[in-house]
């Protein structure tokens, strides 16, 4: 089992967008135990499920063939889920469910993921500009 896990993690070493989303989710997991129970099982659960959806869709998009148009569609779907997640996180902060520091921790990871998704989508939409010399 360990060998399978290490092989899987080695194959994902270069998957920086996957790593970024995973780090955001792991940051969220550290916050959840500190949320009041009435919010943990409502908004907290919704945020966690959205994170899991984003992880799944990112993984699928990452391993989809570059030649297919669906890769761009999958990245667009990831961006939509990420925007929804950012909105839920901001609602949690405005409702004083999470602190400023907790917001900053998760928001930094999500902002980085957003930049990477945008760059990834742009590189697929304009492949001729990918390796151009200025």
């Amino acid at each position: 089992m360990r060998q399978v896990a290490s092989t899987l993690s080695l194959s994902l070493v270069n998957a920086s967008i996957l790593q970024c989303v995973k780090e955001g989710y792991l940051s969220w997991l550290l916050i959840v135990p500190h949320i009041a129970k009435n919010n943990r099982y409502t908004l907290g659960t919704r945020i966690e499920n959205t994170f899991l959806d984003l992880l799944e869709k990112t993984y699928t998009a990452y391993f989809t063939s570059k030649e297919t148009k669906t890769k761009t569609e999958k990245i667009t779907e990831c961006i939509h889920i990420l925007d929804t997640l950012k909105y839920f996180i901001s609602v949690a902060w405005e409702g004083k469910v999470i602190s400023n520091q907790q917001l900053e921790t998760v928001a930094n990871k999500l902002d980085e993921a957003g930049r990477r998704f945008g760059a990834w989508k742009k590189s697929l939409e304009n492949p001729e500009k990918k390796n151009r010399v200025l």
Side-chain angles (χ1 to χ4, degrees):
M1 180 71 174
R2 280 186 184 204
Q3 194 173 27
V4 172
S6 66
T7 304
L8 179 60
S9 63
L10 286 176
S11 68
L12 299 177
V13 167
N14 294 326
S16 61
I17 186 69
L18 286 169
Q19 185 67 26
C20 190
V21 173
K22 183 176 80 171
E23 287 173 4
Y25 177 65
L26 294 175
S27 297
W28 177 253
L29 287 180
L30 295 175
I31 294 169
V32 170
H34 304 286
I35 297 175
K37 282 187 180 182
N38 61 333
N39 292 316
R40 186 183 318 154
Y41 297 114
T42 54
L43 184 57
T45 299
R46 185 69 175 117
I47 291 170
E48 185 165 347
N49 288 337
T50 306
F51 254 121
L52 291 171
D53 290 344
L54 181 60
L55 278 167
E56 179 183 4
K57 298 293 183 183
T58 303
Y59 184 86
T60 303
Y62 188 81
F63 288 105
T64 299
S65 174
K66 289 182 182 180
E67 291 78 37
T68 63
K69 185 164 180 106
T70 59
K71 187 167 189 112
T72 304
E73 292 169 359
K74 289 180 185 202
I75 295 169
T76 301
E77 188 176 353
C78 289
I79 292 169
H80 173 72
I81 294 170
L82 179 65
D83 289 343
T84 303
L85 183 58
K86 287 178 180 180
Y87 177 71
F88 287 147
I89 297 284
S90 71
V91 169
W93 176 74
E94 288 175 19
K96 300 194 186 326
V97 174
I98 61 173
S99 69
N100 290 344
Q101 184 179 8
Q102 292 168 330
L103 171 70
E104 185 178 346
T105 301
V106 175
N108 287 339
K109 303 287 184 189
L110 296 179
D111 287 343
E112 177 65 24
R115 284 191 293 278
R116 290 176 190 237
F117 276 123
W120 190 15
K121 183 178 176 186
K122 188 175 181 180
S123 73
L124 289 173
E125 290 174 344
N126 300 316
E128 64 277 351
K129 292 184 179 182
K130 188 172 184 176
N131 292 320
R132 73 177 188 185
V133 178
L134 296 176

